[in-house]
Amino acid sequence: MGDERALTEPVLRARPEPSQLTKDARWMVLIVLLALVVQQFGARWSTGFSRDGVETTITSHPWVGWTLLTVGFAVVGFVVAIARRGAPRFDEHTVMGLALAGVIGTTVLVWLLIPVEMTWVQWAVEHGNPHPFVIGNVDLVSRYADYTG
């Protein structure tokens, strides 16, 4: 019938199962990408109002600082997780969990700042401060009633 030894060799070798750190890292990448998308939607808002012949439009757009902070939490968490692999305390799973908490916390902070920033900018402009302190992602455009340009 043939050589029996030829039938015992597997045609495809089984791949080794990825480590838990690799699985955690894949989930971290997915969650960071999802968090960045959610932040992009959370940082976009606009409002407008008129007062004393001045029409003011306030527009917010995504700020690069939030993106860098989110990616920074993930990268630092991953690097520290590799360094802490197998440690008795604060092992790689704990560190990846803390990094994930930083990523999600940053996303929640972006969403919590929406009403605060909107209220602050509108209040400041209405009370005579044409350029209030903002995080870096707000544009104020004022149109005057007597402006002909």
Side-chain angles (χ1 to χ4, degrees):
M1 290 261 197
D3 193 8
E4 292 179 13
R5 286 182 293 164
L7 298 175
T8 60
E9 286 293 318
V11 177
L12 296 175
R13 299 212 185 267
R15 292 185 181 176
E17 186 70 24
S19 71
Q20 186 62 41
L21 183 63
T22 304
K23 292 177 185 177
D24 289 347
R26 289 177 185 166
W27 276 107
M28 177 68 83
V29 169
L30 181 68
I31 292 170
V32 166
L33 291 176
L34 183 63
L36 291 175
V37 168
V38 169
Q39 286 179 18
Q40 299 303 310
F41 288 117
R44 292 184 192 278
W45 55 265
S46 70
T47 185
F49 58 93
S50 270
R51 182 171 178 260
D52 299 332
V54 179
E55 182 181 320
T56 304
T57 305
I58 304 165
T59 307
S60 174
H61 51 85
W63 186 46
V64 70
W66 295 125
T67 303
L68 292 176
L69 185 63
T70 302
V71 172
F73 273 128
V75 169
V76 168
F78 182 71
V79 169
V80 172
I82 289 175
R84 300 289 301 172
R85 221 172 166 179
R89 292 185 57 195
F90 290 107
D91 64 342
E92 65 269 19
H93 307 298
T94 305
V95 172
M96 289 290 271
L98 291 172
L100 183 61
V103 167
I104 293 172
T106 304
T107 304
V108 169
L109 182 64
V110 168
W111 276 87
L112 289 176
L113 284 178
I114 294 169
V116 172
E117 196 170 36
M118 284 176 73
T119 305
W120 158 247
V121 171
Q122 188 166 353
W123 181 88
V125 171
E126 286 178 351
H127 287 84
N129 186 357
H131 302 289
F133 170 76
V134 291
I135 294 175
N137 61 336
V138 176
D139 297 326
L140 290 115
V141 177
S142 297
R143 291 182 195 85
Y144 297 91
D146 59 352
Y147 183 67
T148 59

